[in-house]
Each structure stands twice: as C-alpha cells, then as structure tokens.
Amino acid sequence: MENIERDRFTVYRSYWEGLKHMNKEMQGEVYNAIMEYGFTGNVPNMSPEAEGVFMLMKPNIDISLTRYKNGRKGGKITAAKRSISKANTKQMTYDDEIKEMLENKQWNEPVCMQLKINSEEFKQRITEFSTHIKCTMDGVGHDSIGDAHRHFVSWMNKKYPIQNALKENEPDYTYTGGFGGQDV
C-alpha cells in the first residue's frame, strides 16, 4: 500500500467488540496496527496471532482509504456546485423549446403516432402546451430539452387521454358473465 498521511479513517464497532475478548497485550498490538495502517498506510511488525486478526480488519480500512482518496479528488457533486454549474450553462427559453419540438421530426413524428394525432393537431397541442408551461412553471424552464419532451408527452396523456373506443365494424369481445350460450 502506498504511504499516505491522513487525519481520519473509519473504525467499526466490530473491531472493539472482537478485540475486547482478547488479552490486553494482543489488544494493544492490534489497536496499534489499526492506527498505524489507518493513518499512514504502513503495516507494523506484529505477532502472527495479532497479524491474523488485523488481516480481517484490513479490507475495511482499505475501503476507507479509497473513499478518502476519492474525496480528495472532489467526491460527490453537491447541490451548491450543481446549481452553479446550471447557472453557467445556457438554458433554453420556453419559445426555444417549443420551436425545437415543432422542428424536430425525429421526435415529433413518433410522438404523433404514440398519441394518435396528426401534424395539425400536434401543432395546436404544442401551442396549448406553450401556454401551459408559461403559466405554470414560474419562469423556470426545463433542465434539458429531453425534460421538455417528457413533460409534453405526460401533459398530453393527462389532458387528452387516448380513447380506446371500438370502431364500428370491430367485434366486441367484452366478457359479460356467460359461457357463450343463450340463457333460457
């Protein structure tokens, strides 16, 4: 293991619970090895029995070291960093989103098929959707055009549910409780 100085690492309760059943000399030897390895990455010399116990704890200390190294690289992105990152990216306006939705044939044609509407009806619904988002989103646009697409489809499914009405010549196979014969 590489030699790295750090000021903390994770020590688990199970270490203490396991070691308290050993004699004081063995406890001191293992505790010292845990601290030495945890803070510096060096494995001290110890008796074979103490080394055996220490080897059971070492993988957890290694995981703690890996997390420490990853944290020094920046770690998880925080909400504050994410909002700064969003502020630096150019967000589309509502009008830009609507324009993109109307012009993007690779998106709007499958959507028309899915929603069972024609291109004229699609244009009308996009205009309605534009009014909807301007009124309800308080000036805050979508995070991405993909979010705007999903929002439109969701809005359409709620506002204009697809009717599963039977066409005139389609047979009706609805179960009515009988077995197909006539009741006498």
Side-chain angles (χ1 to χ4, degrees), residues 13-181:
R13 181 181 189 89
S14 61
Y15 298 175
W16 172 68
E17 288 176 349
L19 290 173
K20 70 181 179 181
H21 298 287
M22 302 177 146
N23 66 46
K24 299 291 181 199
E25 186 177 320
M26 178 77 74
Q27 286 178 5
E29 199 173 356
V30 176
Y31 280 133
N32 182 50
I34 292 168
M35 296 302 140
E36 177 77 23
Y37 185 71
F39 289 120
T40 67
N42 298 325
V43 179
N45 291 329
M46 58 189 118
S47 68
E49 296 85 13
E51 189 173 359
V53 172
F54 172 75
M55 295 314 268
L56 295 172
M57 299 171 182
K58 186 177 176 289
N60 290 334
I61 300 169
D62 290 341
I63 290 170
S64 176
L65 177 62
T66 301
R67 288 181 181 152
Y68 175 80
K69 287 179 188 175
N70 290 339
R72 291 180 56 110
K73 293 177 189 173
K76 272 183 151 176
I77 186 166
T78 62
K81 286 182 185 176
R82 199 171 20 256
S83 66
I84 290 169
S85 172
K86 266 190 198 176
N88 293 338
T89 60
K90 184 179 181 287
Q91 191 169 12
M92 294 177 81
T93 65
Y94 295 133
D95 294 330
D96 291 340
E97 290 176 355
I98 297 302
K99 183 180 176 187
E100 193 280 338
M101 288 176 168
L102 285 168
E103 292 174 355
N104 185 347
K105 298 288 185 209
Q106 289 182 320
W107 175 75
N108 66 28
E109 287 177 1
V111 168
C112 286
M113 288 173 32
Q114 175 189 353
L115 299 173
K116 298 179 181 170
I117 58 176
N118 61 32
S119 61
E120 287 305 311
E121 194 173 357
F122 176 78
K123 289 176 186 173
Q124 291 172 354
R125 301 290 166 81
I126 283 286
T127 303
E128 283 182 56
F129 179 70
S130 174
T131 304
H132 165 74
I133 61 175
K134 287 178 183 175
C135 293
T136 59
M137 292 191 61
D138 299 326
V140 179
H142 295 94
D143 289 339
S144 68
I145 192 64
D147 285 346
H149 290 167
R150 286 185 291 279
H151 185 184
F152 173 74
V153 172
S154 173
W155 175 81
M156 280 290 295
N157 286 328
K158 289 177 185 170
K159 183 140 176 111
Y160 300 100
I162 299 171
Q163 300 298 319
N164 291 327
L166 294 174
K167 295 180 182 171
E168 286 182 29
N169 296 331
E170 254 183 84
D172 182 9
Y173 295 108
T174 307
Y175 178 71
T176 58
F179 292 102

